[in-house]
């Protein structure tokens, strides 16, 4: 049983560019949450998707957007990249039956130069 | 606003010694409480969680945590640390019955001496 997978593993972008990160949830899970983890800090909640809709959102600007597909996979898009967007981006999945048991993927390391 | 503090940025213990990692939270009501571990280059793994009931909860890898409402604390303990426990540990809270926007603490890095 595959766990949560994320792609790519690493990514280097230039300021002002746009980036798309991808996440496939654990089998049987229908909810996907995204977190940003800056170096030396704990993860910060970006948003959560359920039934292809953004259900909750943390304190992040509109440059951060997402999407969930019918197969429950999800994308995180970040526009107009800033140096401060450099971080590890974590995806977590959960199910409606057990929404607080989140399984995390290994993350995508984004570096903005 | 809700917040989680982990007073110890870095802790070093000898293998076989006991361990306690501290976590305090600030929240309007008692939230759900969690401890996660993150090894280098890895995602987060859930060690244990507290929702209600017995305030001493057991988790994986021999970890346990105790919820103390009066102190707004949820400290993680292990009686005998193994070298493989070296990692970053995060305490997290989530509001009861209102979604899963977890709030994480800044983490405590654990080093284990042979």
């Amino acid at each position: 049983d595959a766990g949560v997978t994320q792609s790519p593993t690493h990514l280097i972008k230039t300021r002002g560019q746009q980036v798309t990160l991808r996440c496939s949830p654990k089998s049987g899970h229908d909810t996907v949450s995204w977190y940003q983890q800056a170096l030396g800090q704990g993860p910060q909640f970006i948003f959560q998707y359920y039934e292809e809709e953004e259900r909750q959102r943390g304190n992040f600007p509109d440059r951060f957007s997402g999407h969930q597909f019918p197969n429950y996979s999800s994308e995180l898009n970040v526009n107009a990249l800033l140096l401060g967007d450099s971080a590890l981006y974590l995806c977590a999945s959960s199910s409606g039956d057990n929404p607080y048991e989140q399984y995390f993927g290994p993350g995508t390391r984004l570096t903005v130069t | 606003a809700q917040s989680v503090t982990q007073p110890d940025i870095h802790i070093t213990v000898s293998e076989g010694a006991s361990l306690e990692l501290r976590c305090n939270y600030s929240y309007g009501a008692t939230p759900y409480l969690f401890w996660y571990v993150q090894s280098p280059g890895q995602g987060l793994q859930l060690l244990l969680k507290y929702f209600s009931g017995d305030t001493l909860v057991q988790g994986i890898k021999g970890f346990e945590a105790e919820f103390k409402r009066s102190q707004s604390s949820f400290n993680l303990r292990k009686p005998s640390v193994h070298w493989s426990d070296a990692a970053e540990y995060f305490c997290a809270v989530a509001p009861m019955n209102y979604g899963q926007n977890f709030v994480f603490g800044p983490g405590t890095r654990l080093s284990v001496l042979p």
Side-chain angles (χ1 to χ4, degrees):
Chain A
D1 174 25
V4 180
T5 59
Q6 293 186 242
S7 63
T9 306
H10 295 92
L11 205 51
I12 300 175
K13 290 285 188 179
T14 304
R15 274 180 302 175
Q17 285 188 318
Q18 178 264 344
V19 68
T20 296
L21 311 182
R22 296 176 175 81
C23 171
S24 291
K26 181 178 168 64
S27 177
H29 286 184
D30 56 11
T31 303
V32 173
S33 301
W34 286 93
Y35 293 82
Q36 180 195 66
Q37 185 178 18
L39 200 60
Q41 297 183 24
Q44 279 196 288
F45 175 77
I46 303 175
F47 43 53
Q48 183 182 79
Y49 275 83
Y50 173 71
E51 291 188 342
E52 302 180 50
E53 297 281 335
E54 183 183 292
R55 182 158 70 174
Q56 282 191 285
R57 189 178 183 92
N59 190 24
F60 278 80
D62 292 345
R63 298 187 297 109
F64 290 77
S65 63
H67 188 79
Q68 186 178 35
F69 298 93
N71 67 353
Y72 308 121
S73 67
S74 176
E75 288 181 350
L76 164 65
N77 301 292
V78 187
N79 294 322
L81 284 167
L82 304 173
L83 295 180
D85 295 332
S86 295
L88 180 68
Y89 287 86
L90 295 166
C91 168
S93 72
S94 57
S95 71
D97 294 339
N98 206 351
Y100 289 92
E101 189 128 352
Q102 297 200 359
Y103 288 78
F104 283 80
T108 293
R109 172 72 62 188
L110 172 65
T111 302
V112 182
T113 62
Chain B
Q2 52 267 38
S3 66
V4 178
T5 55
Q6 294 180 246
D8 305 302
I9 297 173
H10 184 205
I11 284 182
T12 300
V13 300
S14 297
E15 192 168 19
S18 63
L19 171 71
E20 182 169 30
L21 303 182
R22 295 181 291 165
C23 171
N24 292 93
Y25 64 89
S26 173
Y27 222 81
T30 300
Y32 294 149
L33 299 157
F34 307 81
W35 274 100
Y36 284 85
V37 61
Q38 185 178 36
S39 298
Q42 307 277 325
L44 279 70
Q45 182 183 23
L46 178 66
L47 286 175
L48 46 77
K49 59 185 182 290
Y50 173 79
F51 287 178
S52 65
D54 191 347
T55 57
L56 185 64
V57 294
Q58 303 297 321
I60 62 171
K61 305 185 179 188
F63 285 93
E64 66 178 27
E66 184 172 15
F67 168 59
K68 293 186 178 180
R69 185 188 307 273
S70 61
Q71 298 176 19
S72 297
S73 70
F74 188 55
N75 294 348
L76 181 71
R77 301 194 293 248
K78 186 169 185 178
S80 178
V81 170
H82 188 263
W83 64 267
S84 61
D85 293 325
E88 190 89 20
Y89 291 80
F90 293 96
C91 180
V93 303
M96 284 186 180
N97 304 319
Y98 184 63
Q100 298 81 47
N101 51 326
F102 284 42
V103 176
F104 284 82
T108 296
R109 184 161 63 93
L110 173 65
S111 297
V112 180
L113 298 175

